[in-house]
Amino acid sequence: MAQSQNISVTDAPRRDEALRESVRRTLVIEAKGLAALSASVEGELGDAIERATGLIEGARGRVIVTGMGKSGHIGRKLAATLASTGTPALFLHAAEASHGDLGMVTPDDVLLAISWSGETAELGDVVHYARRFAVPLLAITSNADSTLGRAADVALVLPRVEEACPNGLAPTTSTLMQLALGDALAVALLERRGFSASDFRIFHPGGKLGARLLKVADLMHQDTEMPLVQIGTPMSEVLIEITGKRFGCCGVVDDAGRLAGIVTDGDLRRHMGGDLLALPVEDVMTRAPLVVRPADLASAALGLMNRRPVTVVFAVAEDAPVGILHIHDILRAGVL
């Protein structure tokens, strides 16, 4: 027979204070790096950012981001962020560039090279190519007097700060600063271009981001799919229209084509009686029904339907019905 084991309070996991202190120290050091970066924007770095964004905005081609090692990983992320926010961009591996991938670069492009030291050997051929073919060259580096810093048309010089690595070797604070500056450039360009949520969805059609940016117009049913009758229609015909469509309701329009009301199962229950089928629809319908606009976000329509609560709404333009949206359409699209 197995004996029960009594677990005392002293058997609870002990806090590893040394580990927690290491984590706190890393975060504090990296936060100081970001603070130094932010302060630098008030000086020469801010001036360089203005010139760099001007070159990017004026380019007819793309931003070609390049780098090696950890800087290369940051470069991949920066290229992806730029491309998804309205600035055409791609990543060029610095080593592969010397073996044919320089063919990706044209004089219409802007090269953005990332190197903390500014002396990354693999960037040599990229820099030479940029100077030979007059491709604008931007640099993100901590050393303005480096080979890369001197060769660049614009050098975005990062402040020299302490790495979080206790040996001062693993890129930590430095790569965080590169990442933050890249994000700042992308957001600045996004704002200057007036890049909207609708534009964002064009590049993010899938996943949760795409679902969150869907509009009513993307999901609504139109034309003959809409259950509609005119004012004055007898309820006997209204029921046929409701039954023939799959929304469990029917919109009612006036002589000008405006949505005057809606007939739902609730309206039918309230007017259930021997003469229901002979009544004109206006005696049964709910007037001034809940509506949305085609340009509304589907997430906003879902919130509205949950608050009322209703399961179907008509989309209107200039008070005329142009579509109908069921809550199931929204949920199937992944909008939550």
Side-chain angles (χ1 to χ4, degrees), residues 89 156 240 318:
L156 306 174
I240 294 173
E318 298 181 353

Side-chain angles (χ1 to χ4, degrees), residues 196-206 209-211 213-215 218:
S196 67
S198 296
D199 298 321
F200 193 81
R201 181 178 172 265
I202 294 173
F203 302 121
H204 299 78
L209 281 175
L213 296 170
L214 284 171
K215 294 183 178 180
D218 298 318

